Amino acid sequence: MNDSTSIETIKNYMPEKIRLILNEFSDDLLKKVTEIRLRAGGPLYFVYPNKIAFLQRNGRISDTFNSESYIVTASILHEVIERLCHYSIHSCSEQLGQGCFVIENGVRAGVSGAYSSAQISRLVDFTSINFRISRCVNGCADEIFSRTFDTNTIIAGGVSSGKTTVLREMCRLTGSFRKVTLIDERNEISCQRNGVPQNDVGYLTDVISNLCRSKGIISAIRTLSPDVIFCDEISSQSDADAILNGIGCGVRFVVTAHGTCIDELINRSEIRYLFERGVFENTVFLKGAGDPGKVREIRRQSNVFKD
């Protein structure tokens, strides 16, 4: 996916004044942006892998928030929401209930604010919007793929270490020649729109999205006969039980979890539970932010608890 295309997509949802400012930015200034955020009564700012930059009223950017920073009004934020809803907010109850829109080119727009107290809860007052750029980095998982192929593997790392990017690429590689199911609970890996993945996750890959991981795993095993299941951010005992059930049916798993070392992983009961049952033949630790796919260490099951 072309990053410039994703930026152009985001521009199309901005009010004209902001869009004109962004059009003056050089490609180099925007090509490494991972998020563009707007906060009512606060700044419009850009998130990079290693810094945050704030839009100024003169159309430039600054590394600091100051008196010259561009301030987003509530009316600007509401205009962006209306554009996301194609000027029909009432028709977007599902998206406003989840606080998330998946738009063209795999871009996700997360929305925060106050939820209604009605029986079907949805956002009614908006405080911020986060446009998150989905990046596919072909080749970033080549080393991990070659060293862990056909094994149950957990990919671990800290915040913004590239876990999801690597998982997506592993899914694409595997889904090019094996039956794969991707459990995409928040639709942030495949970024499906109208049933079509905006990101390449492999042409043999079935995608289950907007369903919790444990139910998605069980559904895949019962109905899709996958060779391999991919899922992001294992976080509950029900996830762990579903994985064990799948392995008992002969399915391989490639999953991610937050943790920079073994101690951080096993402090979480569901991950310790899986380790103690010898589920993962390989545990991959990524190096860190801004360097997706770079391996710090791969531990085999036999020495996973050893320093």
Side-chain angles (χ1 to χ4, degrees), residues 275-289:
F275 275 139
E276 288 175 342
R277 283 151 183 79
V279 165
F280 298 115
E281 289 125 295
N282 289 293
T283 303
V284 178
F285 288 100
L286 301 179
K287 278 189 174 180

Side-chain angles (χ1 to χ4, degrees), residues 110-183:
V111 184
S112 70
Y115 281 82
S116 69
S117 58
Q119 185 175 2
I120 300 177
S121 183
R122 66 183 180 90
L123 283 163
V124 291
D125 290 318
F126 312 109
T127 57
S128 68
I129 301 172
N130 172 25
F131 287 99
R132 187 173 182 181
I133 297 169
S134 175
R135 282 188 166 87
C136 298
V137 184
N138 287 7
C140 72
D142 286 354
E143 179 187 358
I144 298 171
F145 183 77
S146 64
R147 294 177 64 181
T148 65
F149 174 71
D150 202 34
T151 65
N152 294 312
T153 300
I154 182 169
I155 301 166
V159 175
S160 299
S161 60
K163 298 186 296 295
T164 300
T165 302
V166 169
L167 186 80
R168 183 188 295 116
E169 176 65 359
M170 290 280 284
C171 185
R172 183 187 73 83
L173 292 169
T174 308
S176 297
F177 66 96
R178 299 187 76 181
K179 292 185 299 176
V180 164
T181 299
L182 170 63
I183 312 301

